[in-house]
Amino acid sequence: MKKILKGILYLILVLVVVLIIGAAFINFSGLPTYKVEMPENLKNLHVKIDSSTVARGERMASMLCIKCHMGEGNKLIGKHVDDLPKEFGTIYSYNITQDKEAGIGNWTDGEIIYLLKTGIKRDGSYAPPYMPKFPLMADEDIEAIVAWLRSDRPNVQASKEKQAINQPNFLVKFLCRVAMKPLPLQKSPILSPDSNNAVALGKYLSTGALGCFQCHSQDFKTNNEIEPEKSIGFFGGGNPMLDMDGNLVPSQNITFDKTSGIGNYSEDDFLRILKEGKRPDGTSTRYPMEPYSVLSDNEIKAIYAYLKTVPTLTNKN
Ligand code: HEC
Ligand code: HEC
């Protein structure tokens, strides 16, 4: 009996030592780095910069990038990202203006797209979870964002200001070692959906381009970025999000469940929420749900049509 007890104690001791060594290893070795394996088409890419492409990219960026990267003086010099969970520590977004040192003026078009899709930077370092990834975005849209970054728009012009370099803490390092991994590049071109097919357009906007499912499923950690439908609690809400003061604002169930979802909202109700942030009962949606005022009625109706096809979940948040 004593022998068994001794054996168990010994085993526990070994486990504790292994855990401590493992944690120390993760903490000292920092964020993981990866091999940059850029396909030829990205290596040779020079995006087309004309007024309609830049306008398209600017519209996408107004919904996807500005909120985090716009710093003082209305320039994309980065800033303190203040709505992240405290556990992540103090995190800054970076300068993405055309400056060659402080910004991304030295990056090639392909390198920017490679980062946006996979999460791997040109030097092989990995952009942690607080920089979103866009693996399913159509080539036309992602190239338009790059065209906008290269354009003559005032907010992307070279600016030397730099933010402090992020010092990821143990949690971030741990997540990047075990849960958050680079995303695979899709092999074939990703075409924009047929804008006359409402369900296809709505699916693309809410799962490929605008990240509605990322916030509106159960948790960022259990989302499936490549096959969004496999995310736990797909569109059922409950993802714990924070407002600017650190208060909890869980995302809502936006499946068409009649009791806990949006099953009672008409198309007009949905249009008003998305455009103005006002629910039928007069209440306003709170940050981080911000109105999508640049979306057309047609696009919002398409999202509504697609959400109607998503299996309903009963989940009150
Ligand atoms: C939720 C906030 C957030 C959003 C939204 C966001 N970013 Fe970022 N971004 C960050 C943070 C934070 C970093 C710094 C990551 C790090 O520590 O490596 C970053 C890093 C980057 C970098 C790498 C810069 C460098 O020098 O390493 C690029 C390029 C970039 N973002 C472009 C974009 C673009 C383009 C968009 C929109 C399509 C976007 N980001 C949307 C937060 C965000
Ligand atoms: C950054 C995360 C985030 C993104 C991206 C996001 N949402 Fe939300 N959304 C939320 C949160 C959080 C709430 C809850 C706000 C509240 O309780 O006031 C919400 C609320 C809503 C509501 C109101 C539901 C109700 O309670 O009546 C609708 C509808 C909605 N979102 C649709 C969308 C659609 C469609 C998209 C994509 C175009 C989207 N959201 C993108 C976080 C997000």
Side-chain angles (χ1 to χ4, degrees):
M1 192 63 196
K2 253 193 172 164
K3 256 197 178 153
I4 296 179
L5 211 67
K6 238 180 162 179
I8 293 177
L9 275 177
Y10 185 67
L11 205 72
I12 293 178
L13 195 75
V14 169
L15 269 178
V16 169
V17 170
V18 166
L19 276 179
I20 292 176
I21 293 178
F25 171 75
I26 288 177
N27 208 25
F28 287 118
S29 57
L31 292 174
T33 53
Y34 295 92
K35 206 161 161 230
V36 178
E37 287 172 306
M38 266 224 274
E40 289 303 311
N41 64 329
L42 279 189
K43 272 190 199 153
N44 305 324
L45 182 71
H46 292 284
V47 300
K48 192 169 66 169
I49 305 179
D50 57 33
S51 59
S52 72
T53 314
V54 170
R56 184 184 185 114
E58 186 171 42
R59 193 176 95 107
M60 293 303 289
S62 75
M63 296 183 275
L64 296 173
C65 323
I66 297 285
K67 164 173 141 175
C68 285
H69 282 278
M70 184 75 92
E72 277 169 27
N74 272 346
K75 285 202 148 185
L76 293 162
I77 54 170
K79 62 166 185 160
H80 175 227
V81 186
D82 35 19
D83 58 344
L84 286 174
K86 293 216 173 27
E87 297 80 54
F88 283 160
T90 309
I91 299 298
Y92 295 86
S93 65
Y94 290 161
N95 182 330
I96 55 168
T97 70
Q98 293 162 5
D99 191 83
K100 289 199 187 316
E101 280 154 41
I104 53 171
N106 264 339
W107 294 43
T108 66
D109 294 351
E111 285 168 348
I112 299 176
I113 292 181
Y114 192 74
L115 162 68
L116 294 176
K117 295 219 153 196
T118 66
I120 304 175
K121 298 187 191 181
R122 65 207 289 253
D123 62 359
S125 61
Y126 178 64
Y130 30 76
M131 165 63 201
K133 323 292 179 307
F134 307 88
L136 304 180
M137 187 180 280
D139 297 348
E140 204 178 354
D141 281 330
I142 208 152
E143 287 174 17
I145 291 177
V146 174
W148 162 75
L149 286 165
R150 306 291 197 210
S151 72
D152 58 2
R153 293 291 201 267
N155 50 17
V156 292
Q157 296 316 301
S159 176
K160 293 239 164 291
E161 268 151 284
K162 264 193 153 170
Q163 307 301 325
I165 294 191
N166 290 324
Q167 307 292 344
N169 62 17
F170 177 72
L171 174 70
V172 173
K173 290 180 203 162
F174 180 75
L175 281 177
C176 292
R177 290 263 169 204
V178 300
M180 312 287 199
K181 297 278 173 175
L183 300 169
L185 270 185
Q186 302 302 291
K187 296 245 165 1
S188 33
I190 306 185
L191 303 176
S192 298
D194 171 4
S195 56
N196 294 318
N197 179 339
V199 172
L201 175 62
K203 177 177 179 184
Y204 170 66
L205 289 171
S206 59
T207 63
L210 302 179
C212 315
F213 92 94
Q214 277 141 340
C215 285
H216 279 280
S217 301
Q218 184 177 301
D219 198 300
F220 287 117
K221 293 194 274 302
T222 50
N223 280 345
N224 187 326
E225 304 273 342
I226 302 296
E227 293 174 276
E229 293 87 348
K230 293 194 177 157
S231 302
I232 295 183
F234 185 54
F235 279 120
N239 195 347
M241 319 217 51
L242 299 179
D243 68 13
M244 287 294 192
D245 299 320
N247 302 311
L248 190 68
V249 182
S251 67
Q252 294 300 310
N253 180 350
I254 57 169
T255 69
F256 270 71
D257 183 61
K258 283 211 186 299
T259 50
S260 59
I262 60 166
N264 292 321
Y265 289 169
S266 68
E267 193 182 67
D268 278 345
D269 294 337
F270 190 76
L271 267 166
R272 189 146 172 257
I273 295 180
L274 269 274
K275 287 224 143 170
E276 299 166 29
K278 281 257 179 282
R279 296 194 186 86
D281 66 5
T283 55
S284 301
T285 54
R286 294 166 294 171
Y287 185 91
M289 178 67 201
E290 294 189 295
Y292 284 83
S293 49
V294 300
L295 286 182
S296 69
D297 287 9
N298 195 38
E299 287 171 316
I300 298 177
K301 288 178 186 169
I303 297 176
Y304 184 83
Y306 167 65
L307 287 176
K308 260 194 167 160
T309 70
V310 170
T312 58
L313 290 172
T314 308
N315 185 23
K316 188 120 199 97
N317 297 301

